[in-house]
Amino acid sequence: MPTDTTVSTGQQPGKSGRKKGRKARLLVFVLVLALIGGVAYGAYWSIGTVRASFPQTKGSITLKGLSGPVDVKRDGHGIPQIYASSDEDLFMAQGYVQAQDRFYEMDVRRHMTSGRLSEMFGESQIENDEFLRTLGWDRVAKQEYEKKLSPATKKYLDAYAKGVNAYLEGKEGADISLEYAALGFTNDYTPGPWTPVDSVAWLKAMAWDLRGNMQDEIDRALMTGRLGPEQIADLYPAYPYGRNKPVVQEGRYNELTGAYESGGGESGTGDGAGTGIGDGTGVGADPGTGTGVGTGTGGVEGESGTAAGVGDGLESQLSGLQEVLQNLPTAVGVNGDGIGSNSWVVSGEHTVTGEPLLANDPHLSAALPSVWYQMGLHCRSVSAACQYDVTGFTFAGMPGVVIGHNADVAWGLTNSGVDVTDLYLEKITGEGYQYDGKVVPFEAREETIKVAGGASRKIIVRETGNGPLLSDRSPDLVRTGKKATVDSAAPDRGDGYGVSLRWTALEAGRTMDAVFAMNRAKDWDDFREAATLFEVPSQNLVYADTEGHIGYTLPGRIPTRAKNHDGSVPAPGWNSKYRWTGWVDQDALPYEFDPDRGYIVTANQAVVDPEAYPYTLTTDWGYGARSQRINDLIQSKIKDDGKISTDDMRQMQLDNSSGIAKLLVPELLKIDVEDPEVRKAQKLLEGWDYTQDADSAAAAYFNSVWRNVLKLSFGHKLPKELRVKGQCLWVDPVNPTGPADESAKVRECGMREADQAQPDGGDRWFEVVRTLMEKEDSDWWTTPKAGSRDGAENRDELFKRAMVDARWELTAKLGKDIDTWSWGRLHRLFLKNQTLGTSGPDFLQYVLNRGPWKLGGGEATVNATGWNAAGGYGVVWVPSMRMVVNLGDLDKSRWINLTGASGHAYNSHYVDQTDKWAEGELLEWAYSDKAVEGSTSDTLLLKP
């Protein structure tokens, strides 16, 4: 799961904005010179300003509102372990301590979730705020807090907010963080008090970046402008169930009871009756009564038109929507693309200790500070008054622990990829929208956006029965919608078309309840009950306990759709046949408990074989390259009764093997290369073990070949909306009435940010190339001559061209001497402060940012240091943390964070874990009172 809240503060909406932006940057630059420059008073002020916000970690502090003393014990990496005697004191102290280390990060996050970034960063963020207000995360969070969450959860949220506000009391911005000192030279922003809703809203941002197949839904629709149905199908091949195993392998769906039944051991003591969540009635006018869902993977047809071909209206709207989406700040991933994670659990029969081992490493956007915050929350004596003794990773701004263990159970998360979003093309008429032949009025509300240094902006948010009208947020989209065409089965244009979003996270839920319930869980039954509350986002949950059990469960509020709509493409909003029909009952969701094979792997692959399951959870699983590699590693280790250790689990997390290299390299070595310089590069692949270590020249060359194979075969044939912004090609114009006129090529330039463009080179593209390998004369393998470069008419000719291009690309990047090449020189990680570190003046970026680190690993590799093949070789997402929990001795568990505990630049814990993370090391993870005491460096007493 997991914010690395990327906020670009440098967008320039107009000339006045550019002038103000330049002035603001100049002022910040002057500030930095004063802070950092080593002259006269500036040097003295630098030390004072930087240190002013560092947390007090020793001595004592009096906090009004505590009922008793609280101890905060920090180890040598600044990781806090909190000890209290009541739940409220525990979570109040958690709020205080997280604010000490990370309040600026927390503040930016809550301004993002509430659509108030303009209050901090000015008019450059107005468009982002407009879109975020349209989604209305904070409105839904308020509904959850007021109407859905349990009294106990609300009590904890209140206590956490009280702790944050106790930290803020009496402090100026510069006392809280260096970034506030910089902002103070451009506006008079002052942080306001923290609220419980601020914590709840963060779950919405997390869900947004883990929302499933929305990007694939957009991409498939955009492809229709240049590619035919068969070509699009080539680029979305079927999941290889026969080769890459799903998560659940031993259970089955019982058609008589409507419940899923685990394979392996007994599933606990509960009766499994359950009531599920949701009422199965759908939302909106005449939502329909069907409970089945379609199983197709392409366009689906209904009486009101073909969902995959609703015409230029959809294509043009989605093109504009994509531009809006790619500029949004990211919460945990690259705007929903490429999000992955690994988790697996091994039972004691296969481990050195005889007890389970559990590993987890979520793959998320790299940012500074890391999305994760490590800590322990301990009641001095667990009782009804104080119920928690839990440790692990959480988010700054949220009480509780998201991933970790308590005294009895451990758990990990990966994104399930379940389809919980649908886009709808809406027919707009007057003050409403068309639905089943009638005009239905919009639900509308006015929002006021306050802007630092400028006038407030008012917007109107309109919602249909499907959800908010996203297309209202772009004037270009509104104009385009008025002119858009659709197929003949669609209703008349009227006042145009728009795009709305149906998404489970826009309905109030109880995920915050689930966090505390998992933190308290004592056994599998407790954990499964807690999982039923984990509604959004849908995650794969792996489990192990000190009694020797292991398990997996898929939670989430997952929609069912009518048979004419499988959610793979946007649908016509004017027809009730495309509405959601209800929710998959919780008892029907797949799970496993103590499977006979003795281990469970989740790495974003298919959850269950569709042949044995009646519901379509999604048509866009990850393709299982990582998950099957982990399966293979475990099987090779336990073969002949071998045993797995904690360090074996760590080594598996660092596996750099490239699955696509194993497929392609034997073919690349068969190709006769004339150019001696290219031949030298080709020889790097001879005897290579396909391992992408940072110092590997072979990995550098192969990945460049792979990138060029993708560019030549697919990238140049994709529509401009999917290609990298600024990369221009001369292409045949689209001519729907006949063959293209070869003499009338047009110049088209890409429109997508480099880290979000296609082909990105992930495991879907592994599968695309794999399925085409035997079709050596496929049109995909053809490419025209370009300058001095030869063209290609078949697979091997294209491979040869890619090898030549790769040789000269790396010559330009790394030098002519291949002995100096290495993958790590190309594949570098930069950690950036996610506001002023991405768009502030260069010197301020230097102050706040860190790096680079030369990394091994790669895309769709277990050590998933992801890169986008369309955009370049730089690291885009990473294992944001790593942990291995030893259920035989919890004090022998290990963990590491991407950065450090602190969000303060120049604090010793700012990036003090990054070097070890890059080397694949794990830190000791103290849990027991004795172990924590032995690791403690600083102790702070919080007094009532």
Side-chain angles (χ1 to χ4, degrees):
M1 283 172 51
T3 169
D4 298 338
T5 309
T6 304
V7 179
S8 171
T9 60
Q11 297 178 26
Q12 307 297 333
K15 291 184 178 179
S16 62
R18 284 194 292 271
K19 290 179 180 178
K20 292 177 181 177
R22 284 196 295 269
K23 181 179 179 182
R25 287 194 294 272
L26 178 60
L27 288 171
V28 173
F29 185 73
V30 171
L31 166 69
V32 173
L33 288 179
L35 292 177
I36 309 302
V39 293
Y41 297 105
Y44 177 80
W45 190 24
S46 167
I47 295 171
T49 302
V50 169
R51 290 182 176 176
S53 58
F54 287 6
Q56 178 181 340
T57 60
K58 295 180 179 180
S60 64
I61 298 174
T62 300
L63 290 190
K64 183 180 179 181
L66 286 176
S67 63
V70 176
D71 293 312
V72 182
K73 301 180 179 183
R74 293 180 184 260
D75 67 9
H77 288 89
I79 299 170
Q81 305 281 344
I82 300 176
Y83 289 83
S85 298
S86 73
D87 290 339
E88 291 94 323
D89 284 355
L90 190 65
F91 294 116
M92 181 178 176
Q94 183 181 15
Y96 184 88
V97 170
Q98 287 191 340
Q100 280 186 305
D101 286 332
R102 300 275 194 96
F103 183 77
Y104 177 77
E105 174 195 2
M106 293 164 58
D107 200 17
V108 173
R109 286 179 179 180
R110 65 166 167 174
H111 279 76
M112 182 186 74
T113 58
S114 59
R116 296 189 296 122
L117 291 168
S118 300
E119 293 180 15
M120 295 185 75
F121 303 110
E123 63 182 13
S124 69
Q125 294 301 304
I126 289 176
E127 290 184 3
N128 283 335
D129 282 348
E130 289 178 348
F131 190 85
L132 293 165
R133 293 288 184 96
T134 299
L135 290 174
W137 293 341
D138 64 324
R139 295 177 66 251
V140 181
K142 186 176 181 180
Q143 293 170 12
E144 291 183 355
Y145 177 77
E146 293 178 347
K147 300 178 181 179
K148 286 284 187 177
L149 298 180
S150 71
T153 294
K154 293 169 71 171
K155 180 173 63 176
Y156 302 154
L157 289 164
D158 291 345
Y160 181 90
K162 188 187 297 183
V164 176
N165 292 328
Y167 168 75
L168 294 177
E169 186 174 359
K171 289 184 173 64
E172 301 292 334
D175 299 327
I176 300 171
S177 177
L178 177 64
E179 289 91 334
Y180 289 119
L183 284 177
F185 275 70
T186 62
N187 63 59
D188 57 356
Y189 172 78
T190 301
W194 192 264
T195 73
V197 173
D198 292 334
S199 295
V200 178
W202 178 240
L203 291 170
K204 302 303 173 186
M206 182 180 70
W208 175 252
D209 281 356
L210 303 175
R211 61 192 179 269
N213 77 334
M214 181 174 160
Q215 191 62 58
D216 287 315
E217 199 172 328
I218 292 173
D219 286 356
R220 270 190 292 264
L222 291 175
M223 286 179 185
T224 61
R226 184 159 290 279
L227 303 178
E230 292 184 2
Q231 293 173 304
I232 295 174
D234 285 344
L235 303 185
Y236 287 89
Y239 185 91
Y241 288 97
R243 187 174 67 254
N244 296 342
K245 298 183 184 302
V247 176
V248 176
Q249 301 174 33
E250 300 179 18
R252 70 182 184 91
Y253 177 78
N254 189 321
E255 294 183 1
L256 295 178
T257 63
Y260 200 87
E261 298 173 352
S262 170
E266 295 297 323
S267 60
T269 58
D271 59 16
T275 57
I277 55 175
D279 55 15
T281 58
V283 175
D286 188 19
T289 58
T291 57
V293 292
T295 57
T297 58
V300 289
E301 295 188 0
E303 294 178 5
S304 67
T306 304
V310 289
D312 295 338
L314 181 61
E315 184 186 340
S316 57
Q317 288 286 291
L318 292 182
S319 175
L321 177 59
Q322 174 60 36
E323 289 191 66
V324 175
L325 291 176
Q326 70 180 0
N327 291 325
L328 281 180
T330 59
V332 299
V334 188
N335 283 329
D337 296 336
I339 302 301
S341 298
N342 302 322
S343 68
W344 64 95
V345 60
V346 182
S347 70
E349 66 180 298
H350 298 310
T351 68
V352 171
T353 65
E355 298 294 339
L357 295 171
L358 185 151
N360 195 189
D361 56 289
H363 308 153
L364 304 167
S365 291
L368 181 62
S370 165
V371 58
W372 295 109
Y373 186 92
Q374 298 153 286
M375 70 187 319
L377 301 171
H378 307 278
C379 290
R380 294 190 178 94
S381 177
V382 176
S383 65
C386 198
Q387 305 173 71
Y388 297 89
D389 187 15
V390 62
T391 181
F393 295 85
T394 189
F395 306 126
M398 244 182 69
V401 168
V402 176
I403 295 174
H405 71 82
N406 59 30
D408 303 294
V409 309
W411 67 96
L413 304 180
T414 64
N415 193 30
S416 71
V418 168
D419 185 2
V420 294
T421 61
D422 276 343
L423 293 170
Y424 290 89
L425 187 67
E426 303 282 3
K427 163 41 174 45
I428 300 171
T429 302
E431 296 302 314
Y433 59 97
Q434 189 159 322
Y435 184 72
D436 280 353
K438 299 178 181 178
V439 176
V440 181
F442 292 110
E443 289 188 16
R445 66 179 186 273
E446 183 179 83
E447 298 271 355
T448 301
I449 298 171
K450 297 179 180 178
V451 183
S456 297
R457 178 81 60 89
K458 293 185 182 295
I459 63 169
I460 301 296
V461 176
R462 300 188 294 178
E463 295 194 10
T464 72
N466 291 312
L469 208 59
L470 304 184
S471 49
D472 275 358
R473 297 288 64 87
S474 167
D476 290 339
L477 290 184
V478 173
R479 286 192 293 270
T480 301
K482 291 182 177 181
K483 299 178 181 179
T485 60
V486 294
D487 64 18
S488 59
D492 292 337
R493 180 183 299 110
D495 290 332
Y497 295 92
V499 176
S500 65
L501 171 68
R502 181 79 193 273
W503 178 34
T504 54
L506 297 184
E507 300 174 30
R510 298 172 291 175
T511 301
M512 190 61 77
D513 281 343
V515 171
F516 296 111
M518 287 193 296
N519 288 188
R520 294 190 305 265
K522 299 297 183 184
D523 55 28
W524 174 245
D525 286 343
D526 284 352
F527 189 77
R528 282 269 286 166
E529 184 177 353
T532 64
L533 303 172
F534 206 108
E535 296 172 347
V536 179
S538 175
Q539 297 286 288
N540 295 310
L541 298 178
V542 294
Y543 166 94
D545 63 36
T546 55
E547 296 298 316
H549 300 294
I550 65 172
Y552 161 85
T553 190
L554 175 70
R557 200 169 200 217
I558 300 171
T560 57
R561 298 170 175 88
K563 291 182 178 179
N564 63 310
H565 179 37
D566 66 2
S568 63
V569 292
W574 50 80
N575 189 333
S576 62
K577 294 182 182 296
Y578 291 89
R579 286 290 180 92
W580 291 357
T581 58
W583 313 104
V584 179
D585 190 88
Q586 289 291 294
D587 283 345
L589 291 173
Y591 74 98
E592 276 191 332
F593 185 75
D594 287 342
D596 292 337
R597 64 187 180 279
Y599 63 89
I600 301 169
V601 175
T602 82
N604 316 113
Q605 79 271 38
V607 168
V608 66
D609 191 326
E611 295 296 323
Y613 193 66
Y615 300 104
T616 297
L617 299 174
T618 185
T619 60
D620 293 297
W621 301 113
Y623 281 79
R626 277 181 292 108
S627 62
Q628 193 54 45
R629 175 62 177 171
I630 297 168
N631 270 282
D632 293 343
L633 289 170
I634 294 172
Q635 289 174 348
S636 67
K637 191 68 180 178
I638 66 178
K639 184 175 62 177
D640 301 325
D641 203 32
K643 301 297 182 181
I644 295 175
S645 68
T646 300
D647 196 60
D648 289 332
M649 300 285 273
R650 179 188 70 86
Q651 292 286 356
M652 292 178 192
Q653 290 177 325
L654 303 178
D655 183 78
N656 285 331
S657 180
S658 169
I660 193 62
K662 292 177 183 178
L663 176 69
L664 294 189
V665 166
E667 302 302 323
L668 296 175
L669 290 175
K670 295 176 184 177
I671 294 173
D672 185 21
V673 177
E674 298 86 6
D675 188 319
E677 295 300 322
V678 179
R679 174 61 184 150
K680 287 180 184 177
Q682 184 187 35
K683 286 179 70 66
L684 290 172
L685 305 179
E686 295 178 0
W688 180 42
D689 64 358
Y690 315 121
T691 298
Q692 302 171 99
D693 293 333
D695 60 359
S696 171
Y701 181 60
F702 172 77
N703 282 318
S704 183
V705 173
W706 170 237
R707 179 177 186 238
N708 280 278
V709 165
L710 292 171
K711 179 166 60 175
L712 294 169
S713 54
F714 308 106
H716 291 173
K717 301 178 178 76
L718 294 176
K720 62 182 182 296
E721 292 86 358
L722 274 68
R723 299 201 312 268
V724 175
K725 183 182 292 185
Q727 291 185 1
C728 303
L729 299 170
W730 288 94
V731 300
D732 297 328
V734 177
N735 183 1
T737 62
D741 180 357
E742 293 292 337
S743 65
K745 289 186 179 293
V746 295
R747 190 168 186 263
E748 286 188 350
C749 297
M751 299 171 60
R752 193 165 289 189
E753 296 297 333
D755 62 1
Q756 300 172 50
Q758 294 292 339
D760 62 19
D763 65 355
R764 173 164 69 88
W765 293 99
F766 287 16
E767 200 62 27
V768 168
V769 170
R770 184 185 295 275
T771 58
L772 291 172
M773 285 295 287
E774 300 303 318
K775 303 175 183 177
E776 297 184 27
D777 295 321
S778 167
D779 288 344
W780 289 112
W781 300 127
T782 64
T783 189
K785 179 179 175 65
S788 61
R789 301 284 198 272
D790 293 331
E793 296 183 358
N794 57 48
R795 185 197 70 186
D796 286 352
E797 289 181 4
L798 185 137
F799 283 2
K800 182 177 181 179
R801 164 82 180 272
M803 292 171 70
V804 172
D805 289 357
R807 173 40 159 136
W808 301 118
E809 180 185 10
L810 293 198
T811 297
K813 291 180 178 295
L814 302 179
K816 185 176 181 179
D817 184 359
I818 63 174
D819 291 335
T820 68
W821 290 2
S822 71
W823 177 223
R825 288 180 62 196
L826 289 172
H827 193 54
R828 298 186 300 166
L829 169 67
F830 291 86
L831 293 175
K832 296 184 177 182
N833 174 289
Q834 292 303 288
T835 55
L836 302 178
T838 61
S839 58
D842 291 346
F843 199 80
L844 186 55
Q845 293 189 39
Y846 175 81
V847 169
L848 297 174
N849 298 341
R850 300 291 184 270
W853 284 265
K854 298 176 181 179
L855 299 185
E859 184 62 37
T861 301
V862 180
N863 185 19
T865 55
W867 56 287
N868 185 298
Y873 301 100
V875 177
V876 178
W877 55 84
V878 294
S880 55
M881 63 80 159
R882 298 186 184 102
M883 75 175 195
V884 179
V885 182
N886 184 330
L887 277 300
D889 184 346
L890 292 170
D891 286 330
K892 292 182 178 178
S893 301
R894 298 291 182 265
W895 61 354
I896 195 80
N897 205 351
L898 173 63
T899 60
S902 179
H904 301 287
Y906 296 108
N907 184 282
S908 60
H909 304 307
Y910 193 46
V911 289
D912 62 334
Q913 298 184 49
T914 308
D915 286 344
K916 293 180 181 296
W917 172 93
E919 293 298 322
E921 298 178 31
L922 297 176
L923 303 177
E924 293 186 358
W925 183 356
Y927 175 67
S928 69
D929 291 350
K930 181 179 178 181
V932 169
E933 190 62 36
S935 67
T936 296
S937 296
D938 295 348
T939 299
L940 175 68
L941 174 64
L942 302 179
K943 301 186 300 184

